[in-house]
């Protein structure tokens, strides 16, 4: 099982396991084309010339390296259940990426976002997971700014998996910027029950756990209905933006099993083969 | 008669507690802190809700509704509602008969006893009866028993006593009975409601119209007629006053509620005696007519009582040059109104003593000689008459029509004013039930309750429109429209109203309300009052529960304040 790019290949000069858009020097034959003056004569297919008396150049596929970034939101808004599912998915996804000879980078978003530069090889998985689990939880994610910074640091056409609750206003700006950098983004929104169906009633001072912004409301059925509408609207905007940019967006509950999230969603979407 | 009501309507003042609770919740809503992952979503919710309405803010306050419910129940309990269900047959029936002097009027006691006998007759078998009487004491004549024969005999032996009924002793008994046996049926047979216990039907409430002439007095200028309303509801009465020389006045008097209302009828060249009559019929034949003689024009000089400082008496006597009569009183005092001869002039500020008026009262024995009070000082004087019975009195200020201050005391113990040509002492009226003119809070009636020699009292005209105690030599005979009343010894029983001849003079005999029916003879020390049993002294329920409930309300408020303070911190 390996990760594939659903749309376009990586844009890098390093040799790797992924097919590039341009012709390269791999062992895999791609096609013939007519000879043009200036072409390297070593690529002439003499057998074809013998058969057809035409000068054709033999071209091969390019096998390039691709960078995969797994960004895990460890901010305060990620409750224990959400964080556990995010780490499980990140571990599985990292294993798949390293196993597929991809270069894997990790990012922990939270108080002081941390970034682990890309590494290659299955042997690095344990060390990466240890690094990820040691990342401090809590603080404010600042998802938009963090993702913008990461998208800039990554080589173009990287594969980015963001594991977060995506509960941040204007989070779609990061997606637009990632698209500008030609990255492929898979956004996994993890919500727990309190996010989707708040169980509270009565007069509450609702305080944002990250920004300390608060609202005083008396929660009734109508207010809860409005909240669910607002949440659906927010997720729907993200989903629609991802669809428009060719990204993948999936919302799941924190109680979902990680294999379901990875296999059903990523395999169905063609990210895993 | 109302089917239900409140026994303690004044307790409605505790409504401020739930109101304060409501205001606390309105202005200090206690929001529980709750961490959320995304406040911006809740901001959108708040924008959609657009400022929650008052009802929405209060709707979710379950604790508030619980507290309001609790307070409402407590207040309802404090109000002590009652329901009168005549059809309900109780297993225990208590009959309390008022035997005070006022019950001797007309057919009050016989009507009461007839009513009591009917109740006993209609009661089912197995019913227990108790009989209590009230005169100066509350006596339980018959404890709970099923013996109707003895009860009937007890009822037949009841007689009116010429004493003042001590109504205050009944309420503890009634409340104690109701507390121990809420199903008990208690009947109060009297001509007035039982103070403090509204749940007991009384005779006056059963009538269609229950009014009475309370007092009827005269002065040279006008007649003063006081009407008492025994019902709580408002009504209009037609009153007719007849006098000599075709003097006839008819008035319509609006009575707004239970209490006493006074009428003033000016006299223009008419002569007494006068007869006042309520034309509106009532059911109980209460006092609907009263008589008074012509206002006595002989100057009187009885302007003191036992509590007036001696120096003041001397000062007033020096000022007027008139004879001063001093009455011996222990409790209620003498309330006087005197007229001066028309020829006599008494300019204000002519006298009275050297010290300022306030010091006359404080330093009673110091006489520094006569001085002339300046007019400027008189203008600064203020008059105040206080009374427990009448509540806050209107201030008698300088400048009232026809009123000139002569003597004032800042403490209101005693003061002297001059009204036209009359000197009037104003006393604290705690024990007086005399009518007050709305523009002149001056006593315009004489009320003699004294051991004064009757001949002396008569000579100064004290029988003129007054209630008098005839302590003359026995036996006395009064001849009136309903026969001759023979007074044995010193006994005096108020009977029918009317004009009577007494030793060559005329005497008006009227009935009075229970509050004024204290024409008691001198107390006989040889007959000590039977002690009231401890059972009868049980405190009313309200006194037992009010204090804990108030403490509970304060605790609730304290808890509210603590919660609010905790949230604020």
């Amino acid at each position: 099982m390996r990760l594939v790019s659903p749309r376009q290949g990586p844009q890098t000069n390093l040799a790797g396991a992924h097919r590039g858009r341009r012709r390269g020097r791999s062992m895999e034959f791609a096609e013939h084309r007519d000879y043009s003056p200036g072409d390297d004569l070593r690529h002439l297919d003499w057998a074809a010339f013998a058969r057809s008396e035409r000068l054709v150049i033999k071209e091969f596929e390019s096998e390039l390296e691709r960078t995969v970034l797994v960004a895990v939101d460890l901010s305060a808004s990620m409750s224990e259940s959400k964080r556990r599912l995010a780490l499980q998915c990140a571990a599985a996804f990292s294993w798949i990426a390293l196993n597929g000879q991809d270069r894997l980078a990790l990012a922990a978003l939270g108080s002081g976002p941390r970034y682990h530069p890309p590494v290659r090889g299955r042997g690095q998985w344990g060390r990466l997971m240890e690094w990820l689990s040691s990342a401090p939880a809590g603080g404010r994610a600042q998802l938009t700014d963090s993702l913008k910074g990461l998208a800039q640091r990554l080589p173009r056409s990287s594969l980015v998996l963001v594991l977060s609750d995506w509960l941040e206003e204007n989070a779609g700006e990061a997606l637009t910027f990632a698209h500008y950098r030609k990255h492929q983004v898979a956004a996994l929104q993890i919500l727990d029950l309190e996010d989707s169906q708040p169980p509270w009633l009565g007069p509450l001072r609702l305080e944002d756990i990250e920004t300390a912004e608060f609202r005083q409301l008396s929660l009734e059925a109508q207010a809860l209905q409005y909240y669910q509408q607002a949440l659906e609207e927010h997720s729907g905007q993200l989903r629609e933006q991802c669809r428009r940019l060719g990204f993948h967006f999936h919302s799941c509950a924190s109680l979902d099993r990680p294999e379901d999230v990875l296999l059903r969603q990523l395999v169905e979407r063609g990210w895993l083969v | 008669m109302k089917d239900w009501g409140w026994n303690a309507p004044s307790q409605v003042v505790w409504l401020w507690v739930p109101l304060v609770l409501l205001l606390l919740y309105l202005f200090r809503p206690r929001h529980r802190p709750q961490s959320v992952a995304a406040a911006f979503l809740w901001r959108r919710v708040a924008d959609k809700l657009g400022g929650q309405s008052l009802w929405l803010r209060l709707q979710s306050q379950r604790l508030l509704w619980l507290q309001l419910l609790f307070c409402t129940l407590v207040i309802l309990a404090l109000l002590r509602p009652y329901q009168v269900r005549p059809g309900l047959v109780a297993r225990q029936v208590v009959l309390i008969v008022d035997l005070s002097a006022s019950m001797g009027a007309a057919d009050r006691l016989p009507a009461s006893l007839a009513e009591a006998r009917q109740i006993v007759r209609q009661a089912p078998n197995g019913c227990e009866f108790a009989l209590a009487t009230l005169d100066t004491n509350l006596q339980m004549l018959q404890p709970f028993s099923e013996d109707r024969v003895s009860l009937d005999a007890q009822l037949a032996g009841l007689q009116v006593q010429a004493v003042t009924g001590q109504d205050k002793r009944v309420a503890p008994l009634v409340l104690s009975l109701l507390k121990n046996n809420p199903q008990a049926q208690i009947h109060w047979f009297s001509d007035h409601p039982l103070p403090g216990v509204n749940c007991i039907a009384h005779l006056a409430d059963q009538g269609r119209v229950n009014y009475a002439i309370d007092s009827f007095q005269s002065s040279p200028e006008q007649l003063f007629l006081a009407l008492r309303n025994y019902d709580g509801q408002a009504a209009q009465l037609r009153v007719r006053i007849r006098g000599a020389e075709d003097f006839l006045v008819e008035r319509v008097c609006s009575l707004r509620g239970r209490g006493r209302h006074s009428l003033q009828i000016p006299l223009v060249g008419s002569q007494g005696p006068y007869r006042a009559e309520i034309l509106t019929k009532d059911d109980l034949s209460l006092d609907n007519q009263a008589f008074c003689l012509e206002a006595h024009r002989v100057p009187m000089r009885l302007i003191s009582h036992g509590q007036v400082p001696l120096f003041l008496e001397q000062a007033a006597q020096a000022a007027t040059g008139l004879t001063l009569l001093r009455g011996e009183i222990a409790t209620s005092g003498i309330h006087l109104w005197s007229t001066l001869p028309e020829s006599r002039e008494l300019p204000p500020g002519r006298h009275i003593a050297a010290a300022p008026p306030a010091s006359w009262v404080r330093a009673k024995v110091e006489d520094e000689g006569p001085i002339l009070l300046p007019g400027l000082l008189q203008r600064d004087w203020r008059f105040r008459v206080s009374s427990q019975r009448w509540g806050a009195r209107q201030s008698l200020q300088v400048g009232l029509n026809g009123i000139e201050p002569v003597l004032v005391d800042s403490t209101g113990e005693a003061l002297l004013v001059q009204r036209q040509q009359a000197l009037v002492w104003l006393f604290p009226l705690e024990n007086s039930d005399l009518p007050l003119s709305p523009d002149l809070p001056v006593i315009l009636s004489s009320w003699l309750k004294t051991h004064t020699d009757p001949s002396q009292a008569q000579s100064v005209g004290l029988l003129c429109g007054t209630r008098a105690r005839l302590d003359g030599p026995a036996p006395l005979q009064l001849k009136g429209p309903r026969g001759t009343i023979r007074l044995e010894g010193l006994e005096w029983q108020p009977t029918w109203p009317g004009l009577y001849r007494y030793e060559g003079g005329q005497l008006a005999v009227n009935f009075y309300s229970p509050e004024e029916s204290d024409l008691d003879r001198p107390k006989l020390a040889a007959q000590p009052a039977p002690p009231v049993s401890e059972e009868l002294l049980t405190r009313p329920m309200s006194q037992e529960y009010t204090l804990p409930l108030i403490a509970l309300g304060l605790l609730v408020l304290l808890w509210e304040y603590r919660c609010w303070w905790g949230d604020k911190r």
Side-chain angles (χ1 to χ4, degrees):
Chain A
M1 182 175 287
R2 58 192 287 260
L3 288 170
V4 296
S5 296
R7 294 283 174 92
Q8 58 185 1
Q11 295 183 6
T12 177
N13 293 325
L14 300 176
H18 293 274
R19 178 185 297 177
R21 289 188 303 174
R22 291 176 296 184
R23 299 298 174 227
R25 295 178 181 179
S26 68
M27 297 300 291
E28 192 170 350
F29 173 76
E31 62 179 355
H32 283 112
R33 69 171 172 85
D34 290 341
Y35 171 75
S36 298
D39 286 341
D40 192 350
L41 295 179
R42 288 179 296 179
H43 294 160
L44 277 175
D45 190 350
W46 294 109
F49 177 72
R51 289 194 298 271
S52 61
E53 295 183 351
R54 282 178 57 202
L55 288 173
V56 291
I57 298 295
K58 195 159 59 176
E59 289 189 331
F60 297 92
E61 294 285 352
S62 64
E63 291 186 343
L64 301 176
E65 186 186 56
R66 186 181 54 184
T67 301
V68 175
L69 171 68
V70 177
V72 183
D73 185 0
L74 297 178
S75 65
S77 67
M78 294 290 284
S79 62
E80 184 61 35
S81 58
K82 289 197 281 187
R83 192 182 308 132
R84 184 169 57 245
L85 179 62
L87 288 176
Q88 287 173 346
C89 289
F93 201 80
S94 301
W95 175 258
I96 294 171
L98 291 175
N99 204 32
Q101 297 180 7
D102 289 322
R103 300 173 72 225
L104 177 66
L106 290 181
L109 310 179
S111 57
R114 301 175 69 191
Y115 175 71
H116 192 285
V119 295
R120 182 188 294 175
R122 282 182 295 182
Q124 301 290 336
W125 185 80
R127 198 166 56 85
L128 286 175
M129 290 306 103
E130 189 178 345
W131 178 89
L132 189 60
S133 59
S134 65
R140 186 178 177 185
Q142 292 181 319
L143 203 60
T144 307
D145 295 339
S146 301
L147 287 182
K148 277 184 181 177
L150 291 172
Q152 207 155 12
R153 293 175 72 163
L154 290 174
R156 284 175 175 266
S157 303
S158 295
L159 202 59
V160 179
L161 174 66
V162 183
L163 301 162
S164 170
D165 52 10
W166 288 92
L167 292 179
E168 188 173 311
E169 225 171 0
N170 306 323
E173 291 180 13
L175 297 174
T176 308
F177 191 76
H179 182 261
Y180 170 72
R181 294 285 296 170
K182 312 285 187 196
H183 298 311
Q184 283 292 307
V185 177
L188 194 62
Q189 186 184 36
I190 304 172
L191 298 175
D192 61 7
L193 205 58
E194 285 192 351
D195 294 332
S196 54
Q197 294 173 351
W200 319 299
L201 281 176
L204 290 174
R205 177 189 167 96
L206 302 163
E207 190 169 327
D208 195 310
I209 199 169
E210 292 183 14
T211 64
E213 177 188 355
F214 69 90
R215 278 287 179 278
Q216 287 188 342
L217 284 175
S218 288
L219 292 194
E220 291 301 326
Q222 189 182 21
L224 292 177
Q225 186 183 355
Y226 283 161
Y227 171 79
Q228 288 172 347
Q229 288 176 2
L231 179 63
E232 287 175 7
E233 186 181 350
H234 175 70
S235 300
Q237 285 176 353
L238 287 176
R239 182 179 287 109
E240 175 60 23
Q241 190 171 7
C242 286
R243 188 195 62 77
R244 201 171 60 246
L245 300 176
F247 295 164
H248 172 57
F249 180 87
H250 175 61
S251 179
C252 64
S254 61
L255 298 179
D256 288 352
R257 293 187 302 175
E259 56 267 28
D260 289 344
V261 176
L262 287 176
L263 293 179
R264 285 190 186 171
Q265 294 300 320
L266 298 184
V267 171
E268 283 179 6
R269 303 283 174 159
W271 282 52
L272 286 176
V273 294
Chain B
M1 184 173 170
K2 279 202 313 183
D3 290 338
W4 64 278
W6 311 102
N7 263 328
S10 61
Q11 299 294 328
V12 77
V13 298
W14 290 105
L15 274 178
W16 66 266
V17 176
L19 286 179
V20 167
L21 279 180
L22 204 60
L23 291 177
L24 276 176
Y25 273 84
L26 275 180
F27 293 108
R28 292 289 174 196
R30 294 172 300 163
H31 290 91
R32 299 193 314 270
Q34 178 63 52
S35 299
V36 294
F40 73 94
L41 293 177
W42 293 107
R43 192 196 319 141
R44 295 178 185 175
V45 172
D47 293 343
K48 270 191 175 181
L49 288 175
Q52 287 183 311
S53 67
L54 188 65
W55 171 243
L56 278 178
R57 283 167 64 187
L58 293 178
Q59 196 177 4
S60 57
Q61 309 275 2
R62 291 175 185 163
L63 190 59
L64 167 68
W65 297 118
L66 276 178
Q67 289 171 346
L68 287 182
L69 179 66
F70 173 76
C71 285
T72 308
L73 291 178
V74 167
I75 292 173
L76 277 178
L78 285 174
L79 286 170
R80 290 170 41 220
Y82 68 85
Q83 184 182 15
V84 178
R85 289 182 290 176
L88 179 66
V89 176
R91 305 296 299 174
Q92 290 187 329
V93 178
V94 183
L95 309 174
I96 306 174
V97 183
D98 183 10
L99 296 181
S100 60
S102 61
M103 287 295 287
D107 52 353
R108 291 182 194 179
L109 185 61
S112 298
L113 297 181
E115 177 90 13
R117 287 194 185 95
Q118 188 176 1
I119 289 173
V120 173
R121 267 199 311 275
Q122 291 176 350
N125 292 330
C127 200
E128 293 183 338
F129 298 94
L131 175 63
T133 59
L134 173 74
D135 39 45
T136 53
N137 295 293
L138 182 64
Q139 296 181 1
M140 185 68 82
L141 291 185
Q142 175 175 319
F144 283 107
S145 164
E146 295 185 13
D147 189 359
R148 304 189 184 201
V149 178
S150 67
L151 178 71
D152 200 50
Q154 295 271 13
L155 286 174
L158 295 182
Q159 286 185 351
V160 174
Q161 307 293 318
V163 294
T164 304
Q166 300 295 323
D167 295 347
K168 293 177 182 175
R169 303 193 178 191
V170 183
L173 169 67
V174 170
L175 294 174
S176 172
L177 286 170
L178 287 176
K179 179 185 175 186
N180 296 325
N181 186 4
Q183 298 296 327
Q185 203 175 76
I186 302 175
H187 297 274
W188 164 244
F189 299 98
S190 178
D191 52 359
H192 61 279
L194 192 57
V197 186
N198 296 330
C199 58
I200 308 300
H202 62 91
L203 211 57
D205 273 348
Q206 298 168 2
R208 180 162 44 106
V209 188
N210 298 295
Y211 312 106
I213 295 178
D214 218 12
S215 67
F216 187 32
Q217 312 287 348
S218 66
S219 76
E221 293 84 12
Q222 48 194 345
L223 293 171
F224 296 91
L225 179 65
L227 302 171
R228 181 168 294 273
N229 182 12
Y230 290 97
D231 283 340
Q233 50 191 337
Q236 284 191 335
L237 289 186
R238 284 180 58 221
V239 181
R240 176 192 294 162
I241 297 103
R242 289 178 182 275
E245 301 173 358
D246 298 332
F247 176 78
L248 178 64
V249 173
E250 282 197 8
R251 289 283 182 90
V252 175
C253 178
S254 296
L255 304 183
R256 292 180 180 172
R258 182 170 294 166
R260 186 168 170 158
H261 310 264
S262 58
L263 280 179
Q264 297 178 44
I265 298 102
L267 296 176
V268 182
S270 66
Q271 291 182 350
Y274 303 98
R275 170 180 175 164
E277 189 177 6
I278 299 178
L279 299 180
T280 310
K281 296 295 182 186
D282 63 3
D283 282 353
L284 296 177
S285 300
L286 296 179
D287 309 327
N288 54 9
Q289 59 179 339
F291 297 86
C292 74
L293 301 177
E294 183 182 8
H296 208 288
R297 296 184 182 278
V298 178
M300 295 191 300
R301 293 292 173 268
L302 191 57
I303 53 176
S304 176
H305 63 79
Q307 295 173 349
V308 177
L310 179 64
F311 175 71
L312 283 182
E313 293 175 353
Q314 293 172 352
Q317 197 174 8
T320 58
L322 300 175
T323 307
L324 183 128
L325 265 179
R326 186 179 304 118
E328 287 184 13
I329 58 163
T331 55
S332 56
I334 307 170
H335 305 274
L336 303 168
W337 171 71
S338 62
T339 57
L340 294 175
E342 294 180 359
S343 59
R344 187 175 183 91
E345 292 184 354
L346 186 66
R350 168 190 155 199
H351 40 80
I352 289 177
S359 61
W360 296 347
V361 179
R362 294 184 189 125
K364 302 175 183 175
V365 295
E366 293 177 11
D367 185 0
E368 299 179 14
I371 60 165
L372 186 65
L373 295 180
L376 182 63
L377 182 58
Q378 295 180 21
R379 281 199 296 274
D380 294 335
W381 292 349
R382 292 292 181 269
F383 302 93
R384 182 177 298 126
V385 180
S386 62
S387 167
Q388 294 176 352
R389 169 171 293 180
W390 290 80
R393 286 300 176 86
Q394 47 190 309
S395 295
L396 183 65
Q397 297 196 2
V398 182
L400 280 180
N401 189 19
I403 299 296
E404 292 294 338
V406 177
L407 187 62
V408 65
D409 171 27
S410 60
T411 62
E413 284 188 4
L415 55 91
L416 186 65
V417 297
Q418 182 179 5
R419 176 178 178 267
Q420 296 173 355
Q421 292 183 338
L423 273 181
V424 181
W425 279 105
L426 299 182
F427 299 129
L429 302 179
E430 273 73 16
N431 293 302
S432 168
D433 203 13
L434 299 171
L436 289 184
S437 168
D439 61 345
L440 182 63
V442 176
I443 304 164
L444 292 173
S445 298
S446 301
W447 182 10
L448 182 63
K449 175 192 173 188
T450 179
H451 306 294
T452 310
D453 183 9
S455 58
Q456 184 183 3
Q458 191 182 14
S459 66
V460 296
L462 287 177
L463 290 181
C464 170
T466 65
R467 300 178 62 196
R469 178 169 191 78
L470 301 181
D471 289 338
L476 296 178
Q477 266 193 339
L478 300 180
K479 291 182 181 178
R482 304 203 183 187
T484 301
I485 302 173
R486 182 178 180 82
L487 302 176
E488 298 291 343
L490 296 179
E491 290 294 329
W492 167 264
Q493 298 286 343
T495 53
W496 300 283
L499 293 170
Y500 294 86
R501 291 197 171 278
Y502 169 64
E503 293 182 355
Q506 266 195 326
L507 174 67
V509 178
N510 292 320
F511 291 134
Y512 291 90
S513 60
E515 288 83 352
E516 279 192 89
S517 297
D518 51 355
L519 290 171
D520 46 344
R521 56 187 177 276
K523 293 285 190 302
L524 298 177
Q527 295 180 357
V532 180
S533 65
E534 289 296 326
E535 262 184 50
L536 304 185
L537 292 180
T538 308
R539 290 184 304 165
M541 294 165 66
S542 59
Q543 292 180 20
E544 293 177 6
Y545 297 139
T546 300
L547 197 61
L549 287 174
I550 290 173
L552 196 59
L554 290 177
L555 277 179
V556 169
L557 285 180
L558 192 65
W559 178 256
E560 288 291 321
Y561 179 74
R562 183 177 167 275
C563 290
W564 170 69
W565 182 251
D567 285 353
K568 191 179 178 185
R569 277 194 302 180

